[in-house]
Amino acid sequence: MQRNRVALAAAVCLAAVSGVAWVLWLAQDSEAPPPVAQEQLAPAAAPPTPPPLARSTVELGRGDTLVGALKRAGLDLPQANALAAALRAAGADLRRLRPGDALAIAREADGRWVEASLPVSPWLRFEARAGESGWTVTRQETAPELRVEVRRGEVVNSLWDAVESGAISAQLLLDLVQIFESEFDFGADTQKGDRFQLLVEARYADGRYVDHGRILAAQYLPADDRRALTGVGYAVGGKFAHYDLEGRSLRKTFLRSPLEFTRISSGYTHRRPHPVLGGVRPHLAIDYAAPTGTPVWAVADGTVEFAGYKGGNGIQVMLRHRAGYVTYYNHLSRIGKGVRRGAGVKQKQVIGYVGSTGLSTGPHLDYRVSKNGTFVNPLQEKFLPGEPIPRAEQARFKAQAEQWLAQLNAPTAVAQAAR
């Protein structure tokens, strides 16, 4: 009985397994249904590219303001005022803008102004963007890249030859003169064949030459046997100045000339035919030919002894200085502001303007110097020096001077043209 139940159960299981196998066999043998096609999804559409901004440049003209220039470019008055106010708030000094300065602006296709860029120097520009709350302005600063370079020049007709040839810039030439102006009168003593060389800090912005910084070393080499001049820059107490090789200041208490870059029409002599009175008369002065109105400055600190009209000298200013010196400035067209008897003046303060008053045949400055009541030659007088390098700094100064002069005079040093 028990065996019959087991046999029956086995038969049922075998039938079940056989059925499964048969079903599987049918599934494999029959034609498979076609796959269900998957719907192809199109890629998302890229956002439309906005049209490029319309860019233009606004240049300030004579008598122009930034607001006026912006209005001329198409901004209405509220827009122009808002942009100018945002630039001022970010630190831009719009009062320093000059004719020729330019502002780059951009607008969208619908005419809405959205960008502006104002470069105020090679080192600084202001970038403005328009938003829902108005203009947002940021400062973009570029640090100067300093390169130490050599500049050289030679006098053919005048010192300005070096500027016209592109050897140096006009400002660099003026800086050279200022280094040696207490040692050398470039109006009276410059001669053909004189040479100079400078070791300068050239300043670049984004790889482009902009201007020069400090003059590290300078040499003026006369063509004849006159003494060569050497100046080396050095900072004492944070103040950079120039000294000779012994550490003596090149900034003397007296300047050699009361004018800047003019030619001398008549040298210092005790025998000179007077162009008006005739005959041979002492001319204990230096005549500087210059256009009427050329500023005349005090060669040293002093006190005004006289300022007014004085006979054949025309309009005259007379200054009293320390150590018994008195300087005279004759034939002026007018007297400088605040220059009156008893007033104090500073070196390089304008005390008058070139003219042709009194016994004068044309515009020039008649300049004289006396010491303890006796006239002296301004071009040869040994005036008082400035403060020297402190003793504690002497060794460091000499080491720096040697380094910079070696660079200046190195055979491989190539003079760079002013750009």
Side-chain angles (χ1 to χ4, degrees), residues 72 85 105 110 130 193 220 226 254 301 313 323 342 355 373:
R72 192 170 62 250
I105 54 177
D110 61 3
Y220 192 85
R226 291 170 296 163
F254 276 72
D301 295 352
N313 291 323

Side-chain angles (χ1 to χ4, degrees), residues 44 66 79 391:
L66 181 62
Q79 290 175 323
R391 187 182 301 273

